[in-house]
Amino acid sequence: MEENAGTPDPNCRAPSHLLEVGKDAVWSVSSCKAGYGVEKLRDDNIGTYWQSDGPQPHTVNIQFPRRVALHSIHFFIDHACDETYTPKRVAVKIGTGLHDLYEVEAVDLEAPRGWQKISLLNEENETEDVFMVQVLILSNHENGRDTHLRQIKVFETKKSVLNALRYTPKFSTVEFSQHSTFR
């Protein structure tokens, strides 16, 4: 795991060989307090947060409609603001669905502040094609019960022609638009 400790930059900028693909996914959480739901994880505002409401482990499920070659997952947490709500132990699982998830990384965090990165590359330093990612909050600082996560970003490697076709330019004329997709 890599950490940008002390840098509460609201923008999680990725290198040019990566794409943020969280917008393509369906997001769900194990529980939430009213007004602090899953939408807070994706609003690009580090001043808001998802707050769980129930027993641990707390989970965030990220499901994609197609296989994605995921490179890493980044999440923003701030111990200075959230104290006992701050995750202390976080695990990430990947797979094709809930039935076959396997853990790729589990990390312990000490008073984290800023973007935390967990690589999703396998032992050969290659991406895995998956449909689902699950983030598990296993424990909080000072034995806190509920948790706060401020943002999550999921990055895919730009490696295939199909990926490039997903981001085709928008044409303004009918003549060009009719040739912009395959049937």
Side-chain angles (χ1 to χ4, degrees):
M1 182 180 113
E2 295 174 27
E3 180 178 342
N4 298 331
T7 56
D9 175 13
N11 302 312
C12 185
R13 294 181 183 89
S16 60
H17 70 284
L18 298 177
L19 259 187
E20 205 287 318
V21 293
K23 65 187 174 308
D24 298 338
V26 175
W27 294 67
S28 62
V29 292
S30 54
S31 65
C32 67
K33 291 257 191 217
Y36 298 93
V38 69
E39 69 280 357
K40 302 295 185 188
L41 292 171
R42 300 291 303 160
D43 66 0
D44 288 324
N45 181 356
I46 61 170
T48 63
Y49 51 84
W50 161 63
Q51 181 174 330
S52 63
D53 185 22
Q56 291 174 341
H58 307 298
T59 59
V60 178
N61 295 318
I62 308 163
Q63 296 177 284
F64 294 91
R66 62 174 179 81
R67 283 188 184 260
V68 288
L70 294 181
H71 178 273
S72 56
I73 186 165
H74 302 235
F75 48 95
F76 192 95
I77 49 183
D78 191 346
H79 183 264
C81 292
D82 299 327
E83 298 175 345
T84 63
Y85 291 93
T86 306
K88 182 175 177 83
R89 182 151 180 82
V90 178
V92 176
K93 294 182 176 184
I94 60 174
T96 60
L98 284 171
H99 63 285
D100 70 350
L101 293 175
Y102 61 93
E103 188 173 290
V104 291
E105 186 82 46
V107 295
D108 290 310
L109 305 168
E110 285 302 321
R113 183 166 191 237
W115 287 101
Q116 314 299 311
K117 174 187 172 186
I118 295 180
S119 174
L120 301 177
L121 301 176
N122 63 20
E123 296 88 26
E124 290 82 36
N125 212 29
E126 298 172 339
T127 60
E128 300 272 345
D129 289 340
V130 301
F131 282 103
M132 184 171 186
V133 177
Q134 185 178 66
V135 178
L136 295 96
I137 310 302
L138 302 173
S139 66
N140 289 340
H141 282 77
E142 301 173 34
N143 295 319
R145 186 182 130 209
D146 291 328
T147 199
H148 288 179
L149 280 180
R150 294 181 172 270
Q151 291 293 298
I152 297 181
K153 304 283 184 183
V154 185
F155 292 98
E156 176 184 26
T157 304
K158 294 181 194 175
K159 73 173 195 174
S160 69
V161 174
L162 291 177
N163 215 6
L165 287 175
R166 242 179 16 153
Y167 298 95
T168 57
K170 303 288 185 229
F171 296 109
S172 59
T173 64
V174 174
E175 292 80 20
F176 280 98
S177 296
Q178 66 187 358
H179 300 291
S180 65
T181 60
F182 292 108
R183 288 188 349 132

